Amino acid sequence: MPEETILDLASAVPQDWKEKLSSELNEPWFVQLQEFLNEEWQRETIFPAKKNIFSALKLTPFDQVKVLILGQDPYHDENQAHGLCFSVTAGQKFPPSLRNIFKELQADLRFAPPEHGCLEHWARQGVLLLNTVLTVRAHLAASHQGRGWEKFTDAIIREVNAKPSPVVFVLWGNHAQKKLSLIDSKRHHVICTAHPSPLSATRGFVGSRPFSKINAALTASGLAPINWAATEEKSSQLKFEF
C-alpha cells in the first residue's frame, strides 16, 4: 500500500553526512526531488521503506568510509531493498547479482558465502554500499531515475573522494564506471570490472577477485581489511548451496 506520511528528506540525512552535503540540500533540484517523492508516497508503493532510504549513510559514517561499492537502483520487489546496494533483508532469496557476488567471494577468499544476503556487517566495517538512485516504485525498475537522486549521490561520491585518507572505489559495470570522473584515481584505489549481473558477469566479473584486491589495497594504506563474512560468525562454518 502507498505510504501517506511525508518524510523530510533533509532532516532524515544523518548529521555527519548532512554537514558534508548541506549545500546540496537547499538546491532547487533537491526540493523538486522532495516534491516528487511526496506525490509518489501518496499514490504508489515505494521501496525501500522511508526509514531505510539512508541506511547506507547511517551504517557507514563519513569518517569511517574506507571502501565505496556503487550500485544503481534499489531492488523493486517486496521485502528486498533496505537501503544498501546489492543487499537484501535477511531471509530473502538472493537476487541474481548478489548470488554471483557470493560465488566470486567463495572463489576469491575460499570460504562459503553466508546464509543470508544482508550486508550490514560490511557497512559497519566502513564499506559504503551506495546506490546511485535511492528509491524505486514497486515492480518498476528505474522508475525514479533522473529525478534528482543522481545529483545527491554524485555529491556523496565527491565528498568521499575529498577524504584525505585513501578509499577503495569499486565500480562494477558501465553505469558505475560513468562516475570515474568524480574520483581522483591517483590518490584512491579504483577497481573496475563487469557488473555481477548474469548478463555480464562472465565478461569480466567472474575471476576478478575483488574482495582480496580490496583488502590488499586497504592493507597497503595501513587500514584494517574487511571481514567479508556477512555475520560475525566465521563464514567457513556456514553451509551454503548455489
PDB file of all heavy atoms in Angstrom, residues 17-27 159:
ATOM      1  N   TRP A  17      26.790  13.281   7.685  1.00  0.00           N
ATOM      2  CA  TRP A  17      26.689  13.421   6.236  1.00  0.00           C
ATOM      3  C   TRP A  17      26.005  14.740   5.867  1.00  0.00           C
ATOM      4  O   TRP A  17      26.357  15.362   4.864  1.00  0.00           O
ATOM      5  CB  TRP A  17      25.918  12.248   5.647  1.00  0.00           C
ATOM      6  CG  TRP A  17      26.699  10.978   5.588  1.00  0.00           C
ATOM      7  CD1 TRP A  17      26.656   9.920   6.452  1.00  0.00           C
ATOM      8  CD2 TRP A  17      27.670  10.624   4.594  1.00  0.00           C
ATOM      9  NE1 TRP A  17      27.518   8.942   6.063  1.00  0.00           N
ATOM     10  CE2 TRP A  17      28.156   9.337   4.926  1.00  0.00           C
ATOM     11  CE3 TRP A  17      28.176  11.271   3.464  1.00  0.00           C
ATOM     12  CZ2 TRP A  17      29.120   8.682   4.169  1.00  0.00           C
ATOM     13  CZ3 TRP A  17      29.141  10.617   2.697  1.00  0.00           C
ATOM     14  CH2 TRP A  17      29.603   9.340   3.055  1.00  0.00           C
ATOM     15  N   LYS A  18      25.030  15.161   6.678  1.00  0.00           N
ATOM     16  CA  LYS A  18      24.338  16.416   6.395  1.00  0.00           C
ATOM     17  C   LYS A  18      25.312  17.588   6.403  1.00  0.00           C
ATOM     18  O   LYS A  18      25.198  18.522   5.591  1.00  0.00           O
ATOM     19  CB  LYS A  18      23.239  16.630   7.430  1.00  0.00           C
ATOM     20  CG  LYS A  18      22.308  17.789   7.094  1.00  0.00           C
ATOM     21  CD  LYS A  18      21.278  18.012   8.201  1.00  0.00           C
ATOM     22  CE  LYS A  18      20.432  16.786   8.429  1.00  0.00           C
ATOM     23  NZ  LYS A  18      19.382  17.041   9.450  1.00  0.00           N
ATOM     24  N   GLU A  19      26.276  17.553   7.310  1.00  0.00           N
ATOM     25  CA  GLU A  19      27.267  18.619   7.360  1.00  0.00           C
ATOM     26  C   GLU A  19      28.085  18.671   6.067  1.00  0.00           C
ATOM     27  O   GLU A  19      28.457  19.759   5.606  1.00  0.00           O
ATOM     28  CB  GLU A  19      28.187  18.412   8.565  1.00  0.00           C
ATOM     29  CG  GLU A  19      27.475  18.612   9.900  1.00  0.00           C
ATOM     30  CD  GLU A  19      28.326  18.231  11.084  1.00  0.00           C
ATOM     31  OE1 GLU A  19      29.499  17.816  10.873  1.00  0.00           O
ATOM     32  OE2 GLU A  19      27.848  18.334  12.225  1.00  0.00           O
ATOM     33  N   LYS A  20      28.357  17.515   5.493  1.00  0.00           N
ATOM     34  CA  LYS A  20      29.120  17.464   4.247  1.00  0.00           C
ATOM     35  C   LYS A  20      28.271  17.855   3.036  1.00  0.00           C
ATOM     36  O   LYS A  20      28.789  18.378   2.043  1.00  0.00           O
ATOM     37  CB  LYS A  20      29.681  16.054   4.041  1.00  0.00           C
ATOM     38  CG  LYS A  20      30.671  15.608   5.112  1.00  0.00           C
ATOM     39  CD  LYS A  20      31.936  16.438   5.060  1.00  0.00           C
ATOM     40  CE  LYS A  20      32.947  15.984   6.097  1.00  0.00           C
ATOM     41  NZ  LYS A  20      34.173  16.828   6.078  1.00  0.00           N
ATOM     42  N   LEU A  21      26.971  17.598   3.110  1.00  0.00           N
ATOM     43  CA  LEU A  21      26.087  17.751   1.954  1.00  0.00           C
ATOM     44  C   LEU A  21      25.154  18.948   2.083  1.00  0.00           C
ATOM     45  O   LEU A  21      24.234  19.105   1.280  1.00  0.00           O
ATOM     46  CB  LEU A  21      25.252  16.474   1.774  1.00  0.00           C
ATOM     47  CG  LEU A  21      26.037  15.172   1.594  1.00  0.00           C
ATOM     48  CD1 LEU A  21      25.111  13.971   1.740  1.00  0.00           C
ATOM     49  CD2 LEU A  21      26.735  15.140   0.234  1.00  0.00           C
ATOM     50  N   SER A  22      25.392  19.793   3.076  1.00  0.00           N
ATOM     51  CA  SER A  22      24.441  20.862   3.387  1.00  0.00           C
ATOM     52  C   SER A  22      24.159  21.766   2.198  1.00  0.00           C
ATOM     53  O   SER A  22      23.034  22.236   2.010  1.00  0.00           O
ATOM     54  CB  SER A  22      24.942  21.687   4.576  1.00  0.00           C
ATOM     55  OG  SER A  22      26.221  22.243   4.295  1.00  0.00           O
ATOM     56  N   SER A  23      25.163  22.031   1.380  1.00  0.00           N
ATOM     57  CA  SER A  23      24.957  22.924   0.237  1.00  0.00           C
ATOM     58  C   SER A  23      24.018  22.327  -0.799  1.00  0.00           C
ATOM     59  O   SER A  23      23.394  23.066  -1.579  1.00  0.00           O
ATOM     60  CB  SER A  23      26.303  23.265  -0.414  1.00  0.00           C
ATOM     61  OG  SER A  23      26.926  22.104  -0.941  1.00  0.00           O
ATOM     62  N   GLU A  24      23.906  21.008  -0.818  1.00  0.00           N
ATOM     63  CA  GLU A  24      23.036  20.348  -1.795  1.00  0.00           C
ATOM     64  C   GLU A  24      21.570  20.352  -1.354  1.00  0.00           C
ATOM     65  O   GLU A  24      20.667  20.308  -2.192  1.00  0.00           O
ATOM     66  CB  GLU A  24      23.472  18.895  -2.009  1.00  0.00           C
ATOM     67  CG  GLU A  24      24.935  18.718  -2.357  1.00  0.00           C
ATOM     68  CD  GLU A  24      25.290  19.276  -3.719  1.00  0.00           C
ATOM     69  OE1 GLU A  24      24.408  19.290  -4.600  1.00  0.00           O
ATOM     70  OE2 GLU A  24      26.436  19.703  -3.900  1.00  0.00           O
ATOM     71  N   LEU A  25      21.343  20.391  -0.050  1.00  0.00           N
ATOM     72  CA  LEU A  25      20.004  20.160   0.474  1.00  0.00           C
ATOM     73  C   LEU A  25      19.053  21.329   0.258  1.00  0.00           C
ATOM     74  O   LEU A  25      17.831  21.176   0.458  1.00  0.00           O
ATOM     75  CB  LEU A  25      20.081  19.816   1.965  1.00  0.00           C
ATOM     76  CG  LEU A  25      20.968  18.606   2.308  1.00  0.00           C
ATOM     77  CD1 LEU A  25      20.930  18.328   3.803  1.00  0.00           C
ATOM     78  CD2 LEU A  25      20.545  17.371   1.524  1.00  0.00           C
ATOM     79  N   ASN A  26      19.561  22.485  -0.136  1.00  0.00           N
ATOM     80  CA  ASN A  26      18.715  23.637  -0.434  1.00  0.00           C
ATOM     81  C   ASN A  26      18.637  23.947  -1.921  1.00  0.00           C
ATOM     82  O   ASN A  26      18.019  24.941  -2.314  1.00  0.00           O
ATOM     83  CB  ASN A  26      19.240  24.871   0.316  1.00  0.00           C
ATOM     84  CG  ASN A  26      19.119  24.713   1.818  1.00  0.00           C
ATOM     85  OD1 ASN A  26      18.083  24.269   2.326  1.00  0.00           O
ATOM     86  ND2 ASN A  26      20.172  25.072   2.546  1.00  0.00           N
ATOM     87  N   GLU A  27      19.269  23.101  -2.722  1.00  0.00           N
ATOM     88  CA  GLU A  27      19.246  23.315  -4.165  1.00  0.00           C
ATOM     89  C   GLU A  27      17.845  23.064  -4.737  1.00  0.00           C
ATOM     90  O   GLU A  27      17.102  22.219  -4.220  1.00  0.00           O
ATOM     91  CB  GLU A  27      20.244  22.400  -4.854  1.00  0.00           C
ATOM     92  CG  GLU A  27      21.703  22.757  -4.605  1.00  0.00           C
ATOM     93  CD  GLU A  27      22.103  24.047  -5.290  1.00  0.00           C
ATOM     94  OE1 GLU A  27      21.592  24.318  -6.394  1.00  0.00           O
ATOM     95  OE2 GLU A  27      22.925  24.774  -4.717  1.00  0.00           O
ATOM     96  N   GLU A 159      32.357  13.928  -2.010  1.00  0.00           N
ATOM     97  CA  GLU A 159      32.807  14.126  -0.630  1.00  0.00           C
ATOM     98  C   GLU A 159      33.733  12.990  -0.191  1.00  0.00           C
ATOM     99  O   GLU A 159      34.741  13.219   0.483  1.00  0.00           O
ATOM    100  CB  GLU A 159      31.606  14.239   0.308  1.00  0.00           C
ATOM    101  CG  GLU A 159      30.824  15.528   0.175  1.00  0.00           C
ATOM    102  CD  GLU A 159      31.639  16.761   0.510  1.00  0.00           C
ATOM    103  OE1 GLU A 159      32.556  16.667   1.348  1.00  0.00           O
ATOM    104  OE2 GLU A 159      31.356  17.824  -0.069  1.00  0.00           O
TER     105      GLU A 159
END
